Amino acid sequence: MRRILHLDMDAFFAAIEQMRHPELVGKPIIIGGDGDPTKRGVVSTASYEARKFGIHSAMPLRRAYRLCPEAVFLPVDYDEYLKVSEKIKGILRSFTSLVEDIGIDEAFLDITDLNISSEEIAMEIKKKIKDELNLTCSIGIAPNKLLAKIASDIKKPDGLSIISEKDIERLIWPLPVRKLWGVGPKTEVQLKNMGISIIGELASISLGRLIEYFGKSYSNYLYEASRGIDESPVITHWEPKSMSRETTFQRDTDDWNTIAKNLAELTREVVDNMKGSGYKGKTVTIKIRFSNFETHTRAKTLDDFTNSIDILRKAAFEALGRIELKKKVRLIGVRIGRLARG
Ligand code: TTP
Ligand code: MG
């Protein structure tokens, strides 16, 4: 039987701000955009004190301001959060090299071969993160990644949940289907139409019935996931498929110079990122979202892999030229794909 640990930091961006500004501890604080709640932008995260007002990630900042005008609004300081994230991953790697980095504030560890009890490992990790960084996290430990990820979310903040296969019916089945990794809002609606809202209900229907509604491989996934089955290994190194950046304008714009300047800047940022991690790319895709949310993408594939800013910028502008800018633009994005090391 494997032992997989999933760790997720509590109110990550907000907790880091509270750690470096102790006067903010215990207060409703909201991190998002450039910290000005009168401007366009969304909430990246909110402290647990702010969540009591109904504020959550991805909510427009202006709405958050209406719900809690007394909250402290702060800009996203991504560089700082990334530094803290790297320290956390370093702490995790001091326990085992079998660490899968899945996000800025979360990771899986395969602790099967460590000769310490699950509870002791979790407590030691929590203590080290608290002592060295003054932050708290929530940990789930289970026989696989799927269950460990659900477990870490059962008790938050500062939680620890250790679950085994015999707990699936009692702890997993009553949860909404959305708690399963890979079940997004669309699947949630489709399942609801089939009369299914919790994982236990999903586990009660046959694979044949699922296949009537979903593709074969996704049906297989849902069938197994609802039963707590997941054989996927902890992967210590992922090759990225693409790198991208996008930006939403403060005001929708049809000014060519503004659009061009932003496209050039975003392309430079993606290229810097590629160079920093040693990749070259072959396709450049650009995305334009108009003020009515109509979204268009166009891609340009190059003959060779490259990290040349001149070539990639030219390809981005070629792709842009194939979109008719007939309305004001709300968002522009660049993605470079078909990455290869070199
Ligand atoms: P989460 O782990 O989803 O959230 P959290 O750590 O703030 O809170 P919780 O205690 O519930 O785990 O995401 C980690 C960080 O990622 C979060 O602090 C900010 C960022 N983030 C966004 O920028 N936008 C988003 O929509 C989400 C969900 C997270
Ligand atoms: Mg978190």
Side-chain angles (χ1 to χ4, degrees):
M1 182 73 78
R2 292 186 299 156
R3 280 192 300 162
I4 307 297
L5 181 151
H6 179 258
L7 173 143
D8 188 293
M9 300 301 296
D10 301 323
F12 189 49
F13 296 0
I16 294 173
E17 296 295 352
Q18 287 175 325
M19 185 233 332
R20 60 179 180 170
H21 306 290
E23 68 279 10
L24 297 178
V25 172
K27 292 195 177 143
I29 75 164
I30 294 163
I31 319 294
D34 63 4
D36 180 347
T38 65
K39 285 197 192 159
R40 200 174 246 180
V42 292
V43 174
S44 287
T45 198
S47 66
Y48 279 77
E49 294 80 8
R51 292 182 198 191
K52 289 185 197 134
F53 295 84
I55 294 161
H56 56 76
S57 297
M59 170 184 279
L61 281 173
R62 288 171 183 155
R63 182 162 150 69
Y65 182 71
R66 283 200 296 279
L67 289 172
C68 185
E70 69 271 30
V72 177
F73 287 81
L74 293 171
V76 177
D77 182 354
Y78 204 78
D79 290 345
E80 174 66 18
Y81 311 150
L82 208 53
K83 272 188 216 151
V84 177
S85 175
E86 275 158 15
K87 286 184 190 156
I88 293 164
K89 306 287 159 74
I91 290 174
L92 297 178
R93 288 197 184 88
S94 72
F95 286 84
T96 171
S97 58
L98 298 177
V99 176
E100 179 174 343
D101 194 344
I102 53 164
I104 191 160
D105 85 328
E106 51 179 326
F108 287 113
L109 276 67
D110 188 331
I111 56 168
T112 312
D113 293 334
L114 300 186
N115 282 323
I116 337 172
S117 75
S118 297
E119 183 157 8
E120 269 176 285
I121 295 170
M123 296 316 287
E124 273 187 42
I125 291 175
K126 277 172 171 287
K127 183 172 183 316
K128 222 166 167 185
I129 292 178
K130 181 79 194 162
D131 289 349
E132 291 179 22
L133 301 167
N134 200 18
L135 294 170
T136 65
C137 62
S138 297
I139 290 179
I141 300 177
N144 61 47
K145 284 160 64 172
L146 176 89
L147 293 172
K149 174 135 171 112
I150 297 176
S152 70
D153 194 47
I154 288 177
K155 221 175 121 233
K156 247 187 174 296
D158 204 10
L160 169 57
S161 305
I162 301 175
I163 62 177
S164 67
E165 272 167 350
K166 66 178 182 349
D167 300 317
I168 292 173
E169 279 183 42
R170 184 173 57 90
L171 294 175
I172 306 300
W173 282 5
L175 299 174
V177 286
R178 265 304 280 283
K179 295 276 175 184
L180 285 179
W181 204 352
V183 174
K186 277 191 196 154
T187 307
E188 185 183 30
V189 169
Q190 268 174 304
L191 289 170
K192 187 142 242 151
N193 292 337
M194 297 164 68
I196 295 164
S197 49
I198 60 170
I199 299 171
E201 289 164 343
L202 183 57
S204 75
I205 65 170
S206 69
L207 181 59
R209 175 115 192 277
L210 282 172
I211 291 174
E212 289 170 28
Y213 294 84
F214 304 99
K216 200 155 179 236
S217 80
Y218 191 51
S219 295
N220 269 321
Y221 174 76
L222 291 175
Y223 183 84
E224 294 197 337
S226 64
R227 288 161 177 77
I229 301 168
D230 168 32
E231 303 290 342
S232 63
V234 166
I235 295 173
T236 51
H237 186 73
W238 280 104
E239 290 292 335
K241 288 202 170 72
S242 65
M243 296 190 180
S244 62
R245 293 290 264 197
E246 60 181 46
T247 191
T248 302
F249 294 111
Q250 277 307 320
R251 278 208 195 89
D252 298 346
T253 181
D254 53 8
D255 175 45
W256 167 257
N257 284 330
T258 306
I259 295 168
K261 190 171 144 272
N262 275 276
L263 180 61
E265 176 67 12
L266 292 168
T267 308
R268 194 191 54 76
E269 287 174 15
V270 178
V271 171
D272 283 352
N273 196 358
M274 279 166 59
K275 285 186 177 159
S277 40
Y279 285 94
K280 290 182 174 173
K282 217 173 165 188
T283 61
V284 181
T285 306
I286 77 139
K287 171 162 98 179
I288 291 277
R289 177 167 294 146
F290 292 116
S291 46
N292 62 351
F293 278 82
E294 190 185 315
T295 305
H296 296 261
T297 59
R298 290 288 184 280
K300 165 85 186 161
T301 300
L302 301 162
D303 293 335
D304 293 307
F305 292 97
T306 183
N307 61 7
S308 150
I309 179 68
D310 292 336
I311 295 173
L312 292 162
R313 197 197 300 110
K314 187 161 165 273
F317 275 86
E318 258 183 69
L320 176 66
R322 291 178 19 234
I323 299 180
E324 192 192 345
L325 298 175
K326 54 187 182 214
K327 296 189 196 88
K328 288 201 170 181
V329 175
R330 175 187 169 86
L331 169 149
I332 182 164
V334 183
R335 184 173 75 235
I336 301 181
R338 300 268 309 271
L339 297 180
R341 286 192 172 274

